[in-house]
Amino acid sequence: QTLHDVVTGLPNRQFFSTRLETALHKADRGSGITVYHLGLDAFALVSNGLGRPAGDQVLKAVAERLKAAVAQEQAVVARLDGDEFGIMVENSPTTPDVSSLVDRINHALAEPVSVDGRGVTVSTSIAVVHRPRRDLDPTELLRASDLALRRAKSRGPRQWELFDSEADAADRADFTLAITMASAWDAGEVQLGWRPLVGLHDGGVAGVEAGLRWAHPRLGQLDHRRCVALAEQTGLIQSLGDWLLNSACTELRRMRSDLPLVLWLTEGQAVDPDLVGRVLGVLNATGVEPERLRLGMPVHLLRGDSPEAVDNLTVLTDAGVRMVLDGFGAAGDLTCLEELPARAVRLTDRMVTGGTPLRDQVLAGVLSVVHQAGATATVDGVDTAADADRWRTAGADTALGSHFPFDGP
């Protein structure tokens, strides 16, 4: 009972780790072993929507199908935790290659699982550690597979990722940064930074963007996007987001600046049920008028299944805050612009990079439609005079980037 999972009857993580250690030591030097770390896609939807008994039925079915998929191999299938499974294969001359075995696993899970007379679709993301070192500790191996699984899941459902030592080292460094960010903030290393929002047609400063800057003692200056990505990994983003808004508003009031303030919400902030109260509370405490705040919201949330984001945008707009559709440029974004009370967009990075005559022609058409809808368009990443000329010609209204020097609001 201590070595097996109660729901599926499979070996558990402890059993799996022990077998890994044994297999690593006795593995053939030429063929070695391969570990497959699986995470079911959207399993929480099954458990939350149909109930825990339904989730258990799915787990049992997945366990049986995985065992059948590797029945011809010298393999161990285990339930590692929650919706995650592990498969350890002791390779032989007849063992299929990694890609073929991944296809076999996906095929085994392709048929819907019957739960109370209803078919439930199951897919999985897979991390693969192929022929690891024989002296590798099982705990380290599973840590590596877990990071690779995260990378696979980040690309969407039913993806697989082969462990890469360079990517693993980068991920480990990233996690170390994320973990130490809170203490760096307490120490004053994470600070408020500014960029000017510049009018492309008159060259005047149309607003100021407030962002995070981390003066890291070893890595140097980390910009806002890097800081946000790190803060989101540990849940620090809510506290940092509140601090950023409060600090920016306080600084503008102290300097008696009347420039509009621009901030960009993350996905987590955009759907936060307390977002409206947090924003309006800071504005009220600092005395900054709501009309001066330009708040960017990821547009893909507004065209997806995120009613919280739509509600937040609508209520903030009613309160006077000027909302910006951030990442504009995909199919369906124009509908958001037409149906929601936002009159500004920031173009997606995909549209900004790699200028070609054909792409510029498409951009000009997009910008023309934005203007016809009564909205203005901002572009980020304008780092040279040529970039500024390109976007001025295309019809963008305002721009952000290193091309524009700034001494502060």
Side-chain angles (χ1 to χ4, degrees), residues 294-364:
R294 310 290 189 269
L295 205 56
M297 180 168 286
V299 67
H300 72 89
L301 295 177
L302 303 170
R303 54 180 160 80
D305 188 22
S306 297
E308 300 89 353
V310 175
D311 291 343
N312 283 336
L313 180 144
T314 303
V315 176
L316 284 170
T317 302
D318 291 341
V321 176
R322 309 294 176 84
M323 301 301 294
V324 184
L325 304 185
D326 190 18
F328 189 90
D333 290 353
L334 181 58
T335 300
C336 293
L337 187 59
E338 292 176 332
E339 296 180 352
L340 297 174
R343 289 297 167 260
V345 305
R346 180 168 72 161
L347 297 184
T348 176
D349 291 345
R350 296 190 306 274
M351 303 186 75
V352 174
T353 56
T356 63
L358 179 58
R359 178 169 290 190
D360 287 350
Q361 186 177 352
V362 172
L363 288 173

Side-chain angles (χ1 to χ4, degrees), residues 45-108:
L45 295 178
V46 177
S47 294
N48 295 336
L50 301 179
R52 183 171 177 176
D56 288 348
Q57 289 184 55
V58 170
L59 292 173
K60 291 176 184 177
V62 168
E64 293 303 316
R65 294 183 185 188
L66 292 180
K67 288 193 294 184
V70 295
Q72 298 177 3
E73 313 300 327
Q74 186 68 29
V76 175
V77 180
R79 183 185 178 194
L80 300 182
D81 185 29
D83 61 357
E84 296 185 11
F85 293 82
I87 302 175
M88 186 269 291
V89 178
E90 298 181 47
N91 297 319
S92 70
T94 60
T95 301
D97 59 51
V98 168
S99 179
S100 298
L101 200 47
V102 167
D103 286 343
R104 186 190 293 180
I105 292 170
N106 283 328
H107 180 73

Side-chain angles (χ1 to χ4, degrees), residues 194 197 205-210 245 247-263 279-280 282-283 286-296 316-317 319-324 406 408-409:
W194 301 99
L197 180 69
V205 177
V208 288
E209 177 202 71
L245 175 60
S247 299
C249 290
T250 300
E251 186 69 7
L252 287 180
R253 291 292 294 177
R254 186 184 68 80
M255 301 188 71
R256 299 182 180 178
S257 171
D258 59 356
L259 289 171
L261 173 62
V262 181
L263 291 102
V279 170
L280 297 184
V282 170
L283 294 178
T286 58
V288 173
E289 300 83 358
E291 292 76 14
R292 289 183 56 194
L293 180 59
R294 310 290 189 269
L295 205 56
L316 284 170
T317 302
V321 176
R322 309 294 176 84
M323 301 301 294
V324 184
F406 194 52

